[in-house]
Structure formats: structure tokens, C-alpha cells
Amino acid sequence: MSIRKKIFVAVSLVIFCTVGILLLILQYVLKQQFLRYAESSSISVTVLNKKLLAGFLSNNDAIVLRLTASKQIGTIADMNQYAAAEAQHLKAALSEELSNAIGFQMNNIQYQTETILFFNADMPIGSLFVAEDLNAVTGGTYRMYSDELIKNTDWYRTLQHRQEPYYIFTLPEHDKLYFAYTVQNTYSHSTYRKEGLGTLIIAVPIRQMYDLVYFYPLTEHSSFAVLNSSNEILFSDFKHDHILTGTMSIDHINRISVPDSGITVKLDNNKLLCTVQGLPKGLKLVYLTPMQDINRVVNSAAIPVLLIIAAGSLILLALLLLSTRYITQPIIKQLLETSNMLIKNAETQTALRKDMELRALQAQINPHFIFNAMDTVNWMALSEGKSEIADLVDAIAEVMRYSIS
């Protein structure tokens, strides 16, 4: 692999790793921003819902207060027995008192509420009315009954065992939200008992919950539920099968029993962001938002930034490719020229060294050959008895030895 390619690959890896790290950081920052936005929105919605519910609940409390302060009701409640002739008159008087108590309130008009007053069957006032179960009560703006048939119901027992004189609940048979209040009377001397003068029920159609509580979904698939102080689901919008296929389990309810934000729960193998808003009368508004929706929102916000980063990276790589070509090409050319020159010099030096070695060898061989030849001639002359020739050859050899040395 050439140097230019190695540089290009190394820088490309650095760029891609940097882009990946930046993308992860961007997703984390956007998710934290979304969660902070959800928390701030939750606070704003909580303030709004408290105001909306406060108006409705204050109207309910006003009805209870007017019944508690009704001198007419207190006088009738203290009567030990009722003559048959006046029973109808007393019932009309009590009906008028209840009508007056709710007549100044707008809940029955705005929210289509129904008001039911169950008088204590253990008191003489309870004998003026027929006993009826709450499940069987239908129609009418306001009605009065004896509480004999409701004393064994779960909701009534729960109301009597609560420290607060109210309880909010629903019944499976009806699409209504029930606000139950224990009613006392300050003018009666016989109502100061746990169950009081009776029980006031204010029923609101479930569809009116959208007017009582403002639901602000964070994402398209956000769902919500209204829980009472016992963590019982009063109303829910869990219409998405991928969020819930039924009601919330006790374990999930216990996890959100304390209002908090950012709790992650797992329902039907789906991770959900759970935010809880505390409302008056112990009510809680629970939002469930799929984490998939949050990730989708975060990713949709990150995609444009990612495209910009990717485009910038491609431009940077193109510039890098061009720059490496213009930067490395002169360097490579210079390196090639230097390499060729070094090779040529090395070849020249090698040829010169061989020539010198050959010349030195020749210089060593030639004198010895001549001396041997002259020495041979000298011996041949001596053997023939021609001493003059031998002396002449020997003299020439001496002169040559002297000149070479």
C-alpha cells in the first residue's frame, strides 16, 4: 500500500470515529433536553390541573358545607319520630335544602353531575327514604335515599375507614367518577358519629374528565391515567395495545405511588417513561410515554445534524484525497530521484572497485611472470655454458627489480 493510501485510510478512520462519538454525544444531549422539557411541561400542566380541579372540588366542598350548616336539616335529623302525615312534608323540605345547596354551583350544569344524598339508616331521618344501592341509581340531577343497602359495599367501608371524610372511586358497571363525602351537621346533636348524617355522592361522567383534567401528551402514543389516593385507577387512556393490554399491576402502581418524574417502568415488555403529577384530594395524574417514541423524537432531531456532519466529512475526505495527491507527489518524485541517484552511484563505485582490484592483480601477476621467464633463460644459458648471456639476463632482472620496488 502506498504512503498516500495509508495516510488517507488513517485520517478516514479518525474522522469516522469522531463522527460516531459526536453522534452519541448529540443523542444523549437531545434526550436530556427532551426529559428536561417533559419535566418542565409536567410542572406547568400540574399547576393548570390543580387550578381546574380546585374549582370543581371547591364547588363540591361548598355543597357539603351548606348541608353541614343547614339548620333545617339539623332540626329534622334530631326528631325522634315522624308522623305519617308530615313525612312527605319533611322529605320535601330536605329536598329543597339539597336543591338549595347545589343550586348555587355550576358543576351540575357544566360537568353534568348527579348529586345523591344517602341518609344514615341508623337515624330516624333515614326512615323517610327508601333504601337503594348506588349501582341502581340512575337519572335525575339530585336524589335522596337511605344508606341501608350501601353499608356493606366496598367503597362505603373504605370511606368509613379513611381518616379524610372523602373517597373518590369508580364502579365497573358505570362510566362515572364518584366523589363520596361523609356529611355531618352542626345543628344536629345526634349526627356526631363516624358515619355522620349520611353520605353525599357527586357523580361525574367519565367523558367529563377531559374538562376536569388537562391531558398533555408528550408524544403521539403517550397515555395517561388518573389514580386516587389508594392508587386505584379511576380513569385511563390506555388505548394503545403496545403500551397496555389491561390495567396496571400492583407492582407498577407501587412504583409510582410517590409523585416523581423520569421513572422508567416496564409494561408488557415495553419500556415507558412515567411522570406523575400530584393533584388535590390525593389524586395523581400518571403519564406513560414509550421510550421508543422518545428515541424517535430524539433521532428525528439528530438526523439533520447527522446529515450535515456526514456531508462535511465527505467534503473533508475529498479535500484530504486531493491534498494528499498534491502533497505526496513531489515528495515521492524527489524520493525516486534520490533513490535512482544512490543506485547509480553505488553501481559506479562497484565498477571502479572491481577495476582497481583487477589492475592490482595484474600488477602483481606481470612482474612475477617476467622474472620467472628471465630466470629460466638464465638457467638455460648457464647450462649451455654461455655465461655472458646469463650475466646479461641477470643484470636486466636486477634493473627491473630495482625499478618495480
Side-chain angles (χ1 to χ4, degrees):
M1 184 181 294
S2 64
I3 297 176
R4 185 164 63 89
K5 290 183 178 180
K6 290 181 179 180
I7 295 175
F8 180 77
V9 171
V11 176
S12 300
L13 290 176
V14 171
I15 292 176
F16 281 122
C17 291
T18 304
V19 170
I21 294 172
L22 289 175
L23 179 60
L24 293 176
I25 295 174
L26 178 64
Q27 287 180 325
Y28 175 79
V29 171
L30 289 176
K31 182 174 288 188
Q32 295 303 313
Q33 290 289 344
F34 184 88
L35 294 178
R36 279 194 289 270
Y37 165 76
E39 186 174 355
S40 62
S41 300
S42 176
I43 294 173
S44 302
V45 172
T46 300
V47 173
L48 176 61
N49 282 330
K50 285 182 178 179
K51 290 181 179 180
L52 290 173
L53 269 180
F56 174 82
L57 295 174
S58 64
N59 287 339
N60 292 353
D61 293 339
I63 296 174
V64 176
L65 182 61
R66 290 180 65 86
L67 294 176
T68 302
S70 173
K71 186 175 182 179
Q72 179 78 358
I73 293 177
T75 301
I76 297 174
D78 282 344
M79 297 175 63
N80 293 326
Q81 57 183 358
Y82 307 102
E86 64 178 353
Q88 197 65 28
H89 171 72
L90 295 176
K91 289 173 62 176
L94 292 171
S95 178
E96 183 179 358
E97 287 296 310
L98 179 59
S99 176
N100 290 335
I102 66 176
F104 295 97
Q105 311 303 326
M106 295 299 296
N107 286 352
N108 60 326
I109 299 175
Q110 182 178 0
Y111 301 113
Q112 302 177 11
T113 60
E114 301 175 21
T115 305
I116 309 159
L117 182 56
F118 290 95
F119 285 101
N120 193 342
D122 296 333
M123 298 174 59
I125 194 174
S127 63
L128 292 173
F129 303 94
V130 297
E132 192 63 87
D133 187 8
L134 184 58
N135 284 324
V137 175
T138 57
T141 303
Y142 63 92
R143 293 171 302 283
M144 293 178 290
Y145 301 97
S146 168
D147 67 356
E148 183 177 357
L149 295 182
I150 67 172
K151 287 184 178 293
N152 293 324
T153 59
D154 292 335
W155 67 264
Y156 183 84
R157 285 195 293 264
T158 302
L159 173 63
Q160 298 305 318
H161 285 88
R162 285 175 58 84
Q163 294 182 350
E164 302 86 356
Y166 63 84
Y167 178 53
I168 305 172
F169 63 96
T170 58
L171 294 176
E173 297 84 357
H174 301 284
D175 276 343
K176 296 178 181 179
L177 185 63
Y178 296 95
F179 295 80
Y181 300 86
T182 299
V183 179
Q184 303 285 350
N185 188 274
T186 56
Y187 290 97
S188 174
H189 300 288
S190 57
T191 60
Y192 290 100
R193 58 184 76 186
K194 179 65 176 176
E195 60 272 20
L197 175 69
T199 302
L200 177 70
I201 298 292
I202 298 177
V204 184
I206 287 294
R207 65 179 181 275
Q208 296 297 328
M209 286 299 299
Y210 289 97
D211 296 325
L212 279 174
V213 181
Y214 177 67
F215 305 105
Y216 179 75
L218 293 176
T219 65
E220 178 184 359
H221 300 106
S222 292
S223 293
F224 60 86
V226 177
L227 279 62
N228 62 13
S229 57
S230 301
N231 286 328
E232 299 169 340
I233 296 179
L234 303 176
F235 172 67
S236 67
D237 186 34
F238 295 145
K239 56 184 178 294
H240 302 286
D241 293 338
H242 68 282
I243 295 180
L244 282 179
T245 56
T247 58
M248 300 175 68
S249 67
I250 297 298
D251 176 63
H252 298 137
I253 290 175
N254 289 336
R255 291 194 62 188
I256 57 176
S257 60
V258 179
D260 198 358
S261 293
I263 299 176
T264 302
V265 297
K266 191 173 184 180
L267 302 176
D268 294 345
N269 296 322
N270 290 282
K271 287 187 177 182
L272 306 162
L273 174 66
C274 175
T275 57
V276 184
Q277 302 173 7
L279 301 175
K281 297 292 185 184
L283 296 176
K284 302 184 188 74
L285 178 57
V286 180
Y287 280 107
L288 294 176
T289 302
M291 293 302 295
Q292 291 180 350
D293 280 10
I294 296 176
N295 293 332
R296 191 179 300 115
V297 171
V298 171
N299 291 335
S300 64
I303 284 176
V305 180
L306 178 62
L307 291 177
I308 294 174
I309 294 176
S313 301
L314 291 176
I315 294 174
L316 183 61
L317 288 175
L319 293 175
L320 176 64
L321 184 61
L322 293 175
S323 63
T324 53
R325 175 179 297 177
Y326 288 107
I327 292 174
T328 58
Q329 191 170 4
I331 297 175
I332 293 174
K333 183 178 180 181
Q334 183 65 33
L335 290 175
L336 290 175
E337 291 177 354
T338 304
S339 177
N340 292 332
M341 184 179 67
L342 291 175
I343 293 173
K344 187 175 181 180
N345 290 338
E347 291 177 350
T348 302
Q349 293 293 330
T350 302
L352 289 174
R353 185 174 63 253
K354 288 183 177 180
D355 184 65
M356 290 177 66
E357 290 176 353
L358 180 59
R359 289 178 181 275
L361 183 61
Q362 289 177 348
Q364 291 177 358
I365 293 175
N366 291 339
H368 287 286
F369 176 77
I370 293 173
F371 288 146
N372 289 337
M374 293 181 71
D375 204 26
T376 301
V377 172
N378 185 30
W379 283 104
M380 290 178 64
L382 289 175
S383 62
E384 293 292 334
K386 296 178 181 181
S387 58
E388 293 87 357
I389 296 173
D391 292 337
L392 179 62
V393 171
D394 187 54
I396 295 171
E398 287 295 331
V399 173
M400 289 183 65
R401 288 191 184 95
Y402 177 78
S403 63
I404 292 174
S405 61

